[in-house]
Amino acid sequence: MDIESPNQNQNPNPIPIPIKKKESWKTVMILAYQSLGVVYGDLSTSPLYVYKSAFAEDIQHSESNEEIFGVLSFVFWTLTLIPLLKYVFIVLRADDNGEGGTFALYTLLCRHARISTLPNGQLADEELFEYRKDEIRGVSGGRKMGLRLKSTLEKHRVLQKVLLVLALLGTCMVIGDGVLTPAISVFSAVSGLELSMSKEHHQYVEVPVACVILVLLFCLQHYGTHRVGFLFAPIVITWLLCISTIGVYNIFHWNPQVFQALSPYYMYKFLKKTQKGGWMSLGGILLCIIGSEAMYADLGHFSQLSIKMAFTFVVYPSLILAYMGQAAYLSKHHILETDYRIGFYVSVPEKIRWPVLGIAILAAVVGSQAIITGTFSIIKQCSALGCFPRVKIIHTSPTNKHGQIYIPEINWTLMLLCLAVTIGFRDTKHISNAAGLAVITVMLVTTCLMSLVIILCWRKNVFWALAFMLFFGSIEVLYFSASLIKFREGAWVPVALSCIFLVIMFVWHYGTIKKYEFDVQNKVSINWLLGLGPTLGIMRVRGIGLIHTELVSGIPAIFSHFVTNLPAFHQVVVFLCVKSVPVPHVRPEERFLVGRIGPKEYRLYRCIARYGYRDVNMDDVGFENDLICCIAEFIRTEKAGASTGIGTSTDTGTSNGLGHVLEDSDNDGKMVVFGTASANAEGSIRMCSDESDDSSELKEVAVTVVSPQLPKKRVRFVLPETPQMDTSVREELRELMEAREAGLAFIRGHCYVKAKRGSSLMKRFVINFGYDFLRRNSRGPANALSFPQASTLEVGMVYQV
C-alpha cells in the first residue's frame, strides 16, 4: 500500500468545526412521522405471528395460564431491554457521522484503530473533517485502555481479519433478513384468510396471494423512500391505533388481571414448568423484536431524536397493549376449534375482522419496506469500501438526498429468494425459525462491535464495555441458542444465505487487494518518465487524456503500456483516482487532492477525488468542470504557495482552494486540497481570476459542453491579462484551456486477473474462477462520472497476482 505522509508542521491548527444547526421541533416531528412508515413497519407487524410461533408444537397453554403469562412476560421484557434500552438509549448514539448499521460501526472502529479494508488509503484522508470530528467525543476516563486496544488491533492482522469477518457476518445476516422478513410479514398477514375457510382450502389460497403481494412490493422499490415515507406512514399509524385499541378492548373484556404478567417472576414460572419446550419456544418469542435493527440501519435517513420519539411514544406502547390484549383473550380460550387458529386474528372481534385483515396486509407491505431499504444501504456501504462487487446504485430522490437509493440487482435477487422461501416452506413456523436466527445473529454482532466502540471510540472504562457485553449478550445468546436448535426446521436458510454472501464478499475483497498490490509493485519509476523528456518520446496531440487508476501515488503500468504501443498521446495528462474513504460523507471543499507529476513542461497532473460511502457521485459534466478548475487553481497558486507559504493554510474552504499540502516522494511534488467549484446561473465558471484584475482586461475562451441527458452548458474559462501573473503560469493555463476546448478522453484499463504460476490450488480457484466471474458480471470501475462511450478508451492488461 502506497501512502502519502502529510507534513505535520504545515498544519498546526485543527480544521474549524462548523456549528451544527439544531433541528426545530417541527422538523423532528415530520421526521418522526416519516420514520413510522420506513423504519417501524416491520416491528409493528410482529404481533401477527409471535404468539403463533411461540406456541408452535413446543408448548401448549393450560387452564393455569402460566404459559400465556410467561410468554407475555418474556415479550414485555424483551421489547423493553433490547429495542428500548439497548438501541434507543445506547446504540443509536454510536452513529458514524449520522449514519448507522453494522458496517457503520465497523468503519467507526477502523478509523479509531487506523485499520481499513481499503488498499489505497492515505494519511491525507485522516485530515478530512468527518474523519476527525468524532474523536472530539472521546472521554479521557478510558483513554489508556482505548490506546492499548488500538495498539493491539494495529499489530495483529489476525484480529483485524476477525473484526472484518464479524462485520461481514452481520452484513450477510442483514441481507438474509431482507429475504426472510418480507416473507413472514406478508404470509402472516395473509393467514387471516384461514378464519373464513377450512384448513384444507386456505393453504392453497395463502401462498399464491402472498406471492402476488411480494412481487408488487419489490416492484415498488424503485420509487424510493422519499415517497414511501409519506405514503406509508398513515398505514402504520392506522395499524398501530388498530392493534392498541383491540388490545385495550381485549384486556378489559376478557382478563384485566393480565397486567400481572408484566412481573419478571412469570418468566421464571414459565421456564420452570415448560423446561426444554419453553426454552425452544424462545425462538418464536424473539420475533417480537424483529425489525429493531432497522432503527439503527436506517439512521441515515432520519435523525436520532425523531427515531427515538417515534418508538418511545408511539410504537412501544402500542405493541405492549397489543400483546397484552392477545394474552388476555388466549387466557380465556384454551380450547380452540382448530390448532392453527392461535394467531393474531383469532383475538380480533369478528365484526371488524375483515377491515383489520386489509389493514394488516398493507402494514405488512410497509413493514417489509424497512428491511429492504436497510439492505440497500448496507450493500452500498460494503461496495464502496471494497467488500462487495460493484452494483448499479440509483439515487431515487430528485434532490439526491443521501441514503435514498435503489439497487436493481439486489432488489430482484431478494424478490426471487423471498418467493422461493415462501413457496418452499408454506407455513409461518419454518419461516419464523429462519427469520429468528437471522435477527438475533445481527443483534449479537452489533453487541460485540458496540462493546469495542465503548472502549475505543467513546474511551469509557472497560467495565462499561464488559457490562454491556454481559448484560445484552447473555440475553441474546439465550435466544440464539433457542433459534439454533431448530436448524433443521428452517433455521438453516439464513446460515446458507450468509455463507454464500460471505464467500462472494471475501473473494471480491481478496481479489481487489491482490489487484491493487500488483498495481503498486508494477508502477512506473519516475526516472523512466524523466528519461523520456517533455514529449514522453511520442507525439503530443491536442486534448486532455484522463487516465483512471486506483493508485494514489506513482505512475500506473497502464500508462507505460499505452505509450510504448501507440505513437501519440494528449498534450495534457491527468491521472485520476476516484476512491472511497471510510467516512459517510466528504465535504465538497475537501473533495479533490491535486498535484503535479514531474517537471512543469511534462503537463502531467494527478487528481484524487474522494467520496464517502454514502455520498452521491456527481454527473460527468459537473465533475469534469470541477476537475479542470481545480487543476487550473493548482497551477495558478502553485508558485505563490511555494514562495509565500500560502500552502500552509488550514482553511480548506477558501476561494483560492488551497488547503493542506502533502508531500509525495513518488510524484516529486505536492498534493493540495481543493473543493468543488460553484457555477452561476448561466453555467459560467471564472477560472484563474485575480482580485486586482479589471474585467476589461479579461480574455474569454468559450467551450460548449453537450450531453444527451443534460441540457447544453456553456463554460467560459477567463484568463486575466495582467503583468502580475507569471509568464510560465499564464502559458500553462492557456495550454490547459486549449486542451479542454479540444476535448477530453477517458482512458481506463480492462484488466484480466490471473493467479501467477506456482500459486496454490485454492488461490488459483479463487482468482481465476471466483474473482474473474464476479468481475465480469459486476459493474464497471466505480467512477464518479459516466463518460460517453465515444470518448472512452480501454487498454487491456493481464494482472498476474
Side-chain angles (χ1 to χ4, degrees):
M1 183 165 56
D2 215 34
I3 302 177
E4 298 172 346
S5 300
N7 189 336
Q8 301 295 335
N9 296 327
Q10 290 181 341
N11 184 26
N13 301 318
I15 294 176
I17 300 176
I19 300 175
K20 186 178 180 180
K21 293 182 179 179
K22 189 176 181 180
E23 293 178 330
S24 65
W25 279 107
K26 181 181 178 181
T27 303
V28 172
M29 295 301 291
I30 292 175
L31 289 174
Y33 167 81
Q34 286 182 290
S35 70
L36 290 170
V38 177
V39 178
Y40 292 112
D42 189 21
L43 187 61
S44 300
T45 55
S46 59
L48 288 170
Y49 44 79
V50 169
Y51 279 105
K52 188 172 185 179
S53 300
F55 289 99
E57 300 180 9
D58 298 323
I59 56 173
Q60 300 293 328
H61 51 100
S62 60
E63 295 288 341
S64 65
N65 288 328
E66 290 182 350
E67 296 88 355
I68 294 292
F69 284 9
V71 170
L72 175 59
S73 185
F74 266 103
V75 168
F76 172 77
W77 287 105
T78 303
L79 276 171
T80 303
L81 295 177
I82 303 299
L84 185 63
L85 182 59
K86 176 186 172 182
Y87 281 94
V88 170
F89 289 104
I90 301 176
V91 176
L92 284 178
R93 295 177 56 230
D95 64 299
D96 183 8
N97 292 287
E99 302 296 332
T102 306
F103 228 75
L105 275 179
Y106 174 70
T107 56
L108 198 62
L109 290 169
C110 286
R111 291 210 306 275
H112 283 79
R114 291 178 182 267
I115 58 176
S116 177
T117 60
L118 297 167
N120 57 355
Q122 301 168 272
L123 290 178
D125 299 336
E126 298 181 14
E127 296 298 315
L128 292 170
F129 169 70
E130 288 203 357
Y131 198 106
R132 301 170 58 197
K133 184 176 67 173
D134 54 339
E135 294 181 1
I136 301 171
R137 299 184 303 184
V139 185
S140 59
R143 181 178 177 84
K144 185 179 293 186
M145 186 62 195
L147 293 176
R148 192 176 302 169
L149 178 61
K150 172 178 175 293
S151 176
T152 303
L153 287 173
E154 287 177 351
K155 292 179 181 177
H156 298 86
R157 294 184 61 85
V158 175
L159 293 179
Q160 297 177 20
K161 295 295 183 183
V162 170
L163 192 63
L164 177 61
V165 170
L166 197 61
L168 293 182
L169 176 62
T171 301
C172 293
M173 282 296 179
V174 169
I175 299 173
D177 200 13
V179 173
L180 298 166
T181 299
I184 189 174
S185 296
V186 173
F187 199 91
S188 298
V190 174
S191 66
L193 296 172
E194 67 190 18
L195 297 177
S196 61
M197 58 187 71
S198 64
K199 184 177 181 180
E200 291 74 20
H201 294 92
H202 80 78
Q203 60 182 342
Y204 298 107
V205 176
E206 287 181 353
V207 174
V209 173
C211 290
V212 170
I213 294 174
L214 287 171
V215 171
L216 292 175
L217 167 66
F218 284 98
C219 289
L220 289 174
Q221 295 305 311
H222 70 279
Y223 289 108
T225 58
H226 68 289
R227 296 184 180 94
V228 170
F230 275 102
L231 178 65
F232 285 174
I235 298 174
V236 176
I237 293 174
T238 304
W239 169 249
L240 290 172
L241 181 63
C242 179
I243 61 175
S244 57
T245 303
I246 294 173
V248 172
Y249 169 79
N250 285 331
I251 291 171
F252 289 99
H253 186 266
W254 295 109
N255 190 358
Q257 304 300 319
V258 75
F259 285 97
Q260 297 176 3
L262 301 185
S263 170
Y265 174 68
Y266 281 89
M267 291 192 292
Y268 167 75
K269 292 180 66 177
F270 171 77
L271 292 177
K272 183 179 180 181
K273 180 177 181 179
T274 57
Q275 297 181 359
K276 184 180 178 181
W279 170 60
M280 294 181 66
S281 70
L282 294 179
I285 295 174
L286 76 87
L287 295 177
C288 69
I289 55 175
I290 194 170
S292 299
E293 189 73 22
M295 285 194 289
Y296 187 49
D298 291 338
L299 184 60
H301 297 223
F302 306 99
S303 64
Q304 285 189 32
L305 184 58
S306 63
I307 290 178
K308 291 178 179 179
M309 287 181 61
F311 180 80
T312 306
F313 297 108
V314 180
V315 180
Y316 177 74
S318 298
L319 290 177
I320 297 300
L321 290 174
Y323 285 115
M324 290 177 64
Q326 288 187 62
Y329 178 88
L330 293 175
S331 67
K332 298 299 182 181
H333 297 79
H334 300 285
I335 302 176
L336 299 176
E337 296 177 12
T338 50
D339 292 338
Y340 65 92
R341 295 191 177 189
I342 197 175
F344 167 78
Y345 294 105
V346 73
S347 65
V348 179
E350 190 171 354
K351 292 182 180 180
I352 61 171
R353 192 167 288 169
W354 284 105
V356 171
L357 173 63
I359 298 173
I361 293 175
L362 291 175
V365 171
V366 176
S368 303
Q369 175 66 40
I371 191 61
I372 295 172
T373 302
T375 304
F376 290 159
S377 298
I378 203 166
I379 285 179
K380 183 181 186 297
Q381 294 178 24
C382 293
S383 180
L385 297 177
C387 293
F388 198 86
R390 292 183 290 263
V391 291
K392 183 179 182 180
I393 297 173
I394 300 174
H395 296 271
T396 57
S397 172
T399 57
N400 283 334
K401 186 177 180 181
H402 303 299
Q404 297 184 2
I405 61 173
Y406 166 69
I407 306 178
E409 298 99 321
I410 301 302
N411 184 65
W412 304 125
T413 302
L414 291 179
M415 186 190 76
L416 293 176
L417 292 173
C418 195
L419 291 175
V421 168
T422 304
I423 297 172
F425 285 143
R426 293 176 173 267
D427 59 52
T428 56
K429 176 187 173 183
H430 292 86
I431 302 177
S432 65
N433 292 338
L437 184 61
V439 168
I440 201 62
T441 304
V442 175
M443 291 184 175
L444 268 172
V445 170
T446 300
T447 300
C448 295
L449 296 178
M450 188 65 206
S451 61
L452 295 177
V453 168
I454 292 173
I455 299 175
L456 194 62
C457 305
W458 291 357
R459 296 179 182 174
K460 296 285 187 179
N461 193 289
V462 68
F463 168 79
W464 295 107
L466 289 175
F468 181 88
M469 171 74 79
L470 292 175
F471 182 74
F472 294 108
S474 59
I475 297 173
E476 291 161 357
V477 166
L478 178 65
Y479 282 120
F480 179 80
S481 62
S483 298
L484 196 61
I485 201 67
K486 298 183 178 180
F487 183 84
R488 299 178 61 182
E489 299 178 20
W492 60 269
V493 173
V495 176
L497 290 175
S498 297
C499 288
I500 294 172
F501 282 106
L502 264 177
V503 169
I504 291 173
M505 289 180 177
F506 270 111
V507 168
W508 182 261
H509 181 61
Y510 179 76
T512 302
I513 295 293
K514 290 299 179 182
K515 179 176 175 294
Y516 185 80
E517 289 177 354
F518 180 88
D519 277 332
V520 172
Q521 294 167 3
N522 292 274
K523 63 184 179 181
V524 180
S525 169
I526 188 69
N527 294 326
W528 172 84
L529 183 70
L530 294 174
L532 296 177
T535 63
L536 303 180
I538 55 177
M539 178 73 68
R540 302 294 289 270
V541 298
R542 293 184 64 195
I544 298 177
L546 202 62
I547 302 176
H548 176 263
T549 175
E550 300 293 336
L551 292 175
V552 293
S553 64
I555 302 168
I558 183 179
F559 181 68
S560 64
H561 187 68
F562 190 99
V563 298
T564 53
N565 287 277
L566 290 176
F569 208 78
H570 300 87
Q571 67 186 105
V572 175
V573 180
V574 180
F575 295 97
L576 174 66
C577 175
V578 180
K579 70 171 191 174
S580 296
V581 289
V583 294
H585 311 290
V586 175
R587 296 195 300 174
E589 55 266 37
E590 299 175 308
R591 178 74 66 207
F592 294 101
L593 281 172
V594 181
R596 185 189 299 278
I597 300 177
K600 282 188 175 184
E601 56 269 21
Y602 282 57
R603 302 297 190 254
L604 301 178
Y605 308 95
R606 176 180 305 283
C607 182
I608 301 173
R610 302 177 291 183
Y611 289 87
Y613 57 78
R614 296 294 297 273
D615 271 335
V616 179
N617 294 345
M618 289 181 289
D619 61 85
D620 54 346
V621 175
F623 184 89
E624 193 177 311
N625 292 338
D626 285 334
L627 178 66
I628 302 302
C629 286
C630 285
I631 295 174
E633 281 293 295
F634 172 80
I635 295 170
R636 186 176 72 88
T637 55
E638 181 185 28
K639 187 176 182 64
S643 61
T644 65
I646 192 172
T648 62
S649 169
T650 60
D651 184 4
T652 58
T654 54
S655 59
N656 63 8
L658 285 173
H660 312 297
V661 180
L662 308 161
E663 298 290 345
D664 185 350
S665 58
D666 286 333
N667 289 350
D668 193 26
K670 297 178 179 179
M671 300 292 287
V672 185
V673 177
F674 287 91
T676 58
S678 57
N680 61 23
E682 291 79 19
S684 173
I685 301 175
R686 171 167 292 187
M687 186 177 73
C688 309
S689 60
D690 194 287
E691 293 180 359
S692 61
D693 295 334
D694 186 83
S695 58
S696 61
E697 299 177 353
L698 299 181
K699 180 181 178 181
E700 297 183 357
V701 178
V703 180
T704 302
V705 182
V706 182
S707 174
Q709 291 84 17
L710 298 171
K712 183 181 292 187
K713 293 186 178 181
R714 190 171 183 82
V715 181
R716 295 197 302 270
F717 297 105
V718 183
L719 187 66
E721 298 286 353
T722 172
Q724 294 184 3
M725 178 172 287
D726 187 82
T727 305
S728 61
V729 173
R730 182 185 304 280
E731 182 60 31
E732 189 172 2
L733 287 172
R734 191 182 302 279
E735 188 171 347
L736 177 65
M737 295 190 314
E738 291 174 355
R740 175 64 185 86
E741 185 179 5
L744 187 147
F746 181 67
I747 300 154
R748 67 183 184 186
H750 187 80
C751 62
Y752 299 88
V753 183
K754 302 292 181 183
K756 56 187 175 183
R757 293 182 180 180
S759 301
S760 64
L761 179 63
M762 177 62 73
K763 181 178 179 180
R764 291 202 303 270
F765 179 79
V766 169
I767 296 296
N768 295 347
F769 296 98
Y771 181 74
D772 185 64
F773 174 80
L774 294 175
R775 182 191 57 80
R776 286 188 285 107
N777 290 277
S778 65
R779 298 286 173 171
N783 302 320
L785 58 164
S786 300
F787 279 96
Q789 292 293 326
S791 60
T792 302
L793 177 65
E794 290 189 348
V795 180
M797 283 192 65
V798 177
Y799 283 62
Q800 294 285 346
V801 299

